[in-house]
Amino acid sequence: MNGFMGRLLLVDLTSGRLSEEALDSGLMHQFVGGAGFAARYLYDRIDVHTDPLGPENPLLFMTGPLVGTAAPLCGRYEVCARSPQTGLWGESNSGGRFGPFLRFSGYDGVLFTGKAARPTYLAIRDGHAELRDAAHLWGKDTYETQEAIQAELQGTKLSIACIGVAGEGLVKYAAVINDWGRAAGRTGMGAVMGSKNLKAIAVGGQGQVPLANPDAFSAAVQATIEAVKEDVKGQFLTAGGTASTVDTTMWMGDIPNKHYSMALWEPVAKLGGGTMAETILTGQKACYRCVIGCGRVTRIGGRHATESIDGPEYETVAAYGSLILSDDLEGTAYASHLCNRFGLDTISAGSTIAFAYQLYNRGILTSKDTGGLKLDWGDIEPALTLTKQIAHREGLGDLLAEGSRALGRRYGVEDQAIQVNGLELPMHDPRAFVGMGLVYATSPRGACHNQGDMFLVDLGAPVPELDIQLGNRLESSEEKALMTSRVMDWRTLYNSLVMCVFCNPSADLVLDLLNGATGWNLSRDELLPLGQRAFQMKRLLNGKLGLTAANDRLPKPVLQPLVDPAVETQPPDMSILLPAYYRIRDWDEFTGMPSAGRMTELGLQDLVAH
Amino acid sequence: MFNFASEEWVQALKEAINSSAGYAEAAKTWEGDFYFIVEAGGPIAQETVMYVDLWHGVCREACLCPDRSLKNPAFVITASLPVWRKVIDKKLDPIQGMMTRQMKLQGDMVKIMKAVKAAKELVECTTRVPTKFPA
Ligand code: SF4
């Protein structure tokens, strides 16, 4: 099967049995790969009774048809399971080299089931898979783990994905960390690994992805590289990393400040990619074959002196910076380092901590609750201490390890927690780009910016060839709902391919890459329906896991207006956006599920009876 | 009224910048010189090159250049007449202009990203110049 290695590795951790399964070419045609394929594949294997942290929850690492080819922006993988953080569909992706190296090892994906009796890791080298003892790695951080496995398995160039102590301790938003500091951070996939006593996966080999039309593919790769280099977004990312977003969008109220209570806080510029480049930056890192290299390598001095840090990225400088009114760039870099080493999602960790700051400053949390820590706005030190406590489930950290929804529930202010379905909002305030409100409310994995970056579209990155047009960022309208649905379909396809959303070659180039690799001969008109099929598939799976229309809600605080004369913001009007979006999606107003007609239209008729 | 991209317009812009407290504050640590280039097309027979030297919140020099050879500025921003007009009328944010490739930028991206506020103030300055655009 061109574009694929053609097989999945099945690992039953309970019995230690390893086996293989051929990829179903029909399913690949329908769902492409990555998270889209994973949703369909796991649909038959989980239901509302599946304990996310029980042996019965299957965990799938999956790549897509472009991963590990020469195509830029495709050095990624997805990791999917029922999420312990949300109880819904869990999906997270990461860059680096792990995805390509998994393919080079001979497989498109790995499915884990069961639970190992003792700490274990999986090694796949050139098609040979083995489970190995990881007792000596348990308790080690993610960097130590990667170093130890590299030393143990000399001879093959490897990429390693692993968990740190947060995953071992089942922190609900534990991340999977690969290639030193790359993170599949969202929805707690690290905790699922921890629940299975699975410490790491090491992959490498000499395999090559078979291509249907190598010449056409190569031409598409060249054209894509040129397009990416010309894209000013890519140039900003190269120069300033993802934190360049701070510099460009803070004036629109995009970056949330003081736990979503201020539209503009000018010192945040000290956390931007521009300042970083002129101060602590020592190098850049790129995912496999990426010509942008948005990854930052930094060095900090002072009280947390660290020679080499992966990051910080945009989400981290916001979550550990502006959310608690700290402009301490070195502090946010250190927070990034701690989260990488412990294996924590910086968005959920930082946002939950910022919520604790807010509750403390409102007198709802007291020093007794915090173990004497003073959570004063502007001081990052307590946030760093809390991060360590979360990772080790110590003190207040044990509660914070459950996320902001649990923290709010404990103190009777759940409606003040900035989360959707248990997943904390990424650092793009929906009052700066109202389309993000709709994305957060309806994304299949809780508040997520990866399944629909309306902030980028309305900032200036439309996709006119797919009729995704630039719009007024503050206008809640039928048109906005339509554009948002298209963007979400498009990004869902990206997560099936699996492709980086940060820089966007034209849809025609993506099409050429996909056709060149697979030989599928798709037309441009088929791209959005491909994305929508996977999107609705995730919705159906969420329905099976208990989601209804009542879940599609934004947290109250982001529906309150922000007042700052220097910045124009507007809360999303969900009374306009949501009904329009439901009509476009053909979702039932109570169940929240697509109609039988829409499912049939999308080729999902076999699921109608469910 | 000053004709857009004339020597008089450039001088009026210099004056507007130098009397703007907002710009002085926003750009107090920023330095760099620019070519603002209006591409040939429509009523613009040949490309028009404006030079502006910005230094710590003031405009040190501004002039119309016969072509690109006169100076060697750190930054070059190129756009068509309708796009410049949209920016000056505040119908197009310069960052949006760059992202949508309506405006092309050459220069140090790190310095540019640190100048977003200054750029906004600069646009404000252009709005204070009474401008007549070619039909
Ligand atoms: S833009 Fe950044 S995250 Fe995306 S593929 Fe390139 S290096 Fe990786």
Side-chain angles (χ1 to χ4, degrees):
Chain A
M1 197 189 329
N2 284 317
F4 297 92
M5 307 309 284
R7 54 189 185 152
L8 290 180
L9 178 68
L10 311 181
V11 181
D12 180 345
L13 288 163
T14 306
S15 66
R17 186 167 172 270
L18 306 178
S19 57
E20 284 183 17
E21 179 180 305
L23 274 190
D24 178 332
S25 68
L27 269 191
M28 303 324 289
H29 259 94
Q30 262 199 304
F31 294 98
V32 179
F37 166 81
R40 180 63 192 90
Y41 192 79
L42 295 185
Y43 183 88
D44 297 332
R45 291 164 174 82
I46 54 178
D47 61 29
V48 74
H49 303 297
T50 305
D51 175 1
L53 296 176
E56 66 269 29
N57 192 16
L59 174 71
L60 180 60
F61 284 72
M62 192 64 203
T63 59
L66 302 178
V67 175
T69 66
L73 304 162
C74 298
R76 302 187 76 83
Y77 71 98
E78 295 275 353
V79 50
C80 306
R82 186 175 193 192
S83 164
Q85 191 175 6
T86 65
L88 300 172
W89 167 244
E91 159 184 348
S92 196
N93 78 48
S94 174
R97 298 179 306 172
F98 183 83
F101 275 43
L102 174 57
R103 304 252 277 178
F104 303 158
S105 81
Y107 295 95
D108 295 295
V110 185
L111 178 77
F112 293 96
T113 52
K115 177 181 179 175
R118 343 173 355 99
T120 297
Y121 78 90
L122 173 73
I124 317 175
R125 289 172 286 178
D126 273 317
H128 174 69
E130 57 177 328
L131 286 170
R132 297 175 65 105
D133 181 50
H136 60 300
L137 302 174
W138 209 251
K140 286 195 188 305
D141 75 31
T142 60
Y143 283 58
E144 291 165 342
T145 300
Q146 292 178 74
E147 275 160 19
I149 293 176
Q150 293 278 8
E152 261 171 50
L153 304 180
Q154 283 172 4
T156 308
K157 215 170 151 200
L158 293 171
S159 172
I160 296 158
C162 65
I163 57 170
V165 293
E168 295 173 12
L170 310 182
V171 173
K172 290 288 166 45
Y173 41 88
V176 179
I177 303 287
N178 60 280
D179 301 298
W180 309 113
R182 287 279 166 180
R186 307 243 68 197
T187 67
M189 295 298 103
V192 179
M193 276 182 77
S195 73
K196 296 184 174 307
N197 276 336
L198 177 63
K199 180 68 177 173
I201 305 152
V203 290
Q206 303 296 318
Q208 283 193 348
V209 181
L211 298 171
N213 189 338
D215 291 342
F217 186 77
S218 174
V221 167
Q222 280 317 313
T224 306
I225 290 172
E226 292 311 315
V228 167
K229 282 185 177 165
E230 269 184 26
D231 188 341
V232 77
K233 255 195 310 142
Q235 291 163 13
F236 274 129
L237 284 168
T238 301
T242 54
S244 58
T245 310
V246 174
D247 304 88
T248 49
T249 62
M250 60 180 274
W251 304 101
M252 298 174 179
D254 181 52
I255 188 166
N257 307 300
K258 201 179 182 190
H259 200 249
Y260 296 86
S261 63
M262 291 166 67
L264 178 65
W265 179 61
E266 292 207 30
V268 77
K270 293 184 196 155
L271 303 173
T275 306
M276 201 185 308
E278 291 175 352
T279 54
I280 61 174
L281 188 73
T282 56
Q284 283 173 247
K285 277 190 180 177
C287 300
Y288 181 78
R289 295 273 191 167
C290 179
V291 290
I292 294 174
C294 74
R296 305 289 92 176
V297 183
T298 55
R299 175 173 52 220
I300 59 172
R303 60 198 188 283
H304 300 301
T306 306
E307 197 47 38
S308 180
I309 290 174
D310 286 304
E313 306 308 321
Y314 170 78
E315 299 290 338
T316 313
V317 299
Y320 277 89
S322 62
L323 269 196
I324 57 167
L325 293 189
S326 166
D327 62 3
D328 181 348
L329 178 59
E330 293 205 344
T332 63
Y334 191 62
S336 169
H337 191 57
L338 289 179
C339 288
N340 287 343
R341 283 197 168 265
F342 294 142
L344 281 170
D345 174 30
T346 61
I347 299 175
S348 287
S351 187
T352 303
I353 290 169
F355 188 33
Y357 271 61
Q358 192 192 48
L359 298 185
Y360 179 85
N361 283 280
R362 287 170 55 192
I364 295 171
L365 267 183
T366 65
S367 292
K368 199 162 154 249
D369 300 306
T370 64
L373 282 176
K374 286 169 137 182
L375 308 186
D376 293 331
W377 293 118
D379 183 5
I380 196 174
E381 286 304 318
L384 300 175
T385 304
L386 286 173
T387 303
K388 293 175 194 163
Q389 289 184 0
I390 290 167
H392 294 97
R393 283 191 171 272
E394 293 167 356
L396 180 62
D398 193 33
L399 173 59
L400 302 190
E402 297 295 305
S404 61
R405 182 168 61 175
L407 174 63
R409 194 172 289 162
R410 171 74 62 88
Y411 290 93
V413 284
E414 188 179 334
D415 62 349
Q416 300 297 305
I418 308 294
Q419 51 80 30
V420 175
N421 293 322
L423 192 72
E424 287 72 20
L425 263 65
M427 301 296 124
H428 300 283
D429 196 315
R431 290 164 293 189
F433 295 92
V434 295
M436 290 310 296
L438 202 41
V439 173
Y440 292 153
T442 63
S443 151
R445 67 173 188 177
C448 160
H449 60 314
N450 213 16
Q451 322 258 345
D453 45 353
M454 278 301 286
F455 68 99
L456 272 180
V457 169
D458 280 348
L459 183 63
V463 192
E465 63 276 23
L466 296 180
D467 205 6
I468 297 172
Q469 307 293 352
L470 189 66
N472 177 339
R473 68 188 174 92
L474 300 178
E475 188 181 273
S476 294
S477 60
E478 295 253 349
E479 178 73 3
K480 185 69 70 193
L482 180 63
M483 292 304 132
T484 303
S485 70
R486 286 183 184 154
V487 171
M488 292 179 84
D489 290 344
W490 185 222
R491 292 306 183 219
T492 300
L493 180 58
Y494 264 59
N495 292 332
S496 299
L497 285 167
V498 180
M499 204 163 170
C500 177
V501 300
F502 289 163
C503 202
N504 317 118
S506 70
D508 289 340
L509 282 174
V510 175
L511 187 67
D512 290 347
L513 289 172
L514 184 56
N515 283 335
T518 61
W520 285 347
N521 206 18
L522 294 166
S523 70
R524 189 204 280 175
D525 292 345
E526 291 171 273
L527 291 176
L528 286 187
L530 260 184
Q532 190 186 169
R533 180 183 297 136
F535 183 86
Q536 299 276 25
M537 187 64 236
K538 293 175 191 178
R539 184 76 176 178
L540 290 167
L541 179 47
N542 273 333
K544 200 177 170 194
L545 297 176
L547 177 136
T548 68
N551 288 71
D552 297 334
R553 295 286 174 268
L554 284 180
K556 267 189 195 163
V558 298
L559 295 170
Q560 302 301 316
L562 290 164
V563 183
D564 189 313
V567 181
E568 216 188 332
T569 55
Q570 182 74 46
D573 186 337
M574 298 305 279
S575 70
I576 296 172
L577 291 168
L578 208 50
Y581 187 84
Y582 264 58
R583 280 193 294 279
I584 294 158
R585 290 295 189 204
D586 208 354
W587 284 352
D588 179 87
E589 62 179 312
F590 298 108
T591 66
M593 291 301 121
S595 69
R598 179 61 60 89
M599 286 166 69
T600 304
E601 229 173 75
L602 292 169
L604 300 172
Q605 57 276 12
D606 55 322
L607 301 175
V608 170
H610 295 237
Chain B
M1 283 288 204
F2 301 98
N3 288 327
F4 177 64
S6 63
E7 178 64 31
E8 296 72 31
W9 188 88
V10 176
Q11 293 312 321
L13 175 63
K14 181 181 176 188
E15 252 185 74
I17 294 170
N18 287 338
S19 53
S20 164
Y23 179 76
E25 176 58 27
K28 65 185 173 200
T29 58
W30 203 83
E31 53 197 56
D33 55 348
F34 283 83
Y35 270 160
F36 296 127
I37 295 179
V38 188
E39 289 164 353
I44 307 290
Q46 65 178 61
E47 86 171 12
T48 308
V49 182
M50 294 173 275
Y51 175 78
V52 178
D53 180 10
L54 301 168
W55 186 264
H56 296 199
V58 294
C59 178
R60 296 196 299 194
E61 186 187 349
C63 62
L64 197 64
C65 300
D67 56 45
R68 296 188 189 214
S69 64
L70 196 66
K71 306 272 188 186
N72 186 23
F75 302 96
V76 180
I77 298 182
T78 313
S80 66
L81 176 67
V83 170
W84 281 115
R85 185 166 188 172
K86 275 196 273 179
V87 170
I88 290 168
D89 290 344
K90 288 172 66 174
K91 288 186 179 140
L92 178 67
D93 180 89
I95 291 286
Q96 206 171 54
M98 284 191 260
M99 287 198 42
T100 50
R101 303 184 198 195
Q102 297 176 70
M103 306 181 85
K104 289 176 216 87
L105 166 75
Q106 289 166 271
D108 179 345
M109 297 303 279
V110 168
K111 281 188 94 177
I112 282 292
M113 75 181 75
K114 289 191 75 184
V116 174
K117 190 176 185 194
K120 286 170 108 52
E121 293 294 341
L122 204 55
V123 172
E124 286 295 332
C125 294
T126 63
T127 64
R128 285 182 213 125
V129 178
T131 302
K132 185 164 174 253
F133 288 95

